[in-house]
Amino acid sequence: AGCSKAVDMEAAELRIQRVFLPDAGAATASAGTILALADRHPHETDLWVEGASLQGRVYSPRLEPMAAPSRAAQCVAKLDPSGEPATYLLTGATGGLGRSV
């Protein structure tokens, strides 16, 4: 999926849709069936299909609004369960967001 996301950003004139099928559905689905499924959801870029028959529910990612952060509520534990200062391992934290934090 990563390569298709890059193509989507770099070639806006192309219509990219990623359709994620269950293993059993991918083995038996025809290209026409998959294209028909994608055509029913023309404005979605990612579709996850439930059920091997490809007749199940189709899911698409959505962002949900979050409540504003509160300084009164602790987001990250300062102490571990034994009472010692907590230790956190950050991976991938040297990218743009990690550097700004």
Side-chain angles (χ1 to χ4, degrees):
C3 179
S4 62
K5 288 183 180 185
V7 170
D8 190 34
M9 290 186 285
E10 294 176 6
E13 69 276 8
L14 298 176
R15 180 176 159 230
I16 305 292
Q17 280 184 292
R18 290 171 291 279
V19 180
F20 299 89
L21 305 173
D23 289 342
T28 60
S30 70
T33 302
I34 297 169
L35 289 171
L37 179 72
D39 283 343
R40 287 197 304 269
H41 305 278
H43 301 292
E44 302 295 345
T45 56
D46 292 309
L47 300 171
W48 281 268
V49 182
E50 181 179 76
S53 68
L54 305 186
Q55 301 301 315
R57 290 185 175 182
V58 177
Y59 297 94
S60 186
R62 293 285 181 266
L63 296 177
E64 294 186 16
M66 292 180 57
S70 167
R71 293 203 179 260
Q74 183 176 331
C75 294
V76 179
K78 293 181 181 176
L79 302 176
D80 69 16
S82 68
E84 294 294 318
T87 303
Y88 294 93
L89 172 65
L90 301 178
T91 61
T94 57
L97 180 61
R99 256 184 260 138
S100 68
V101 176

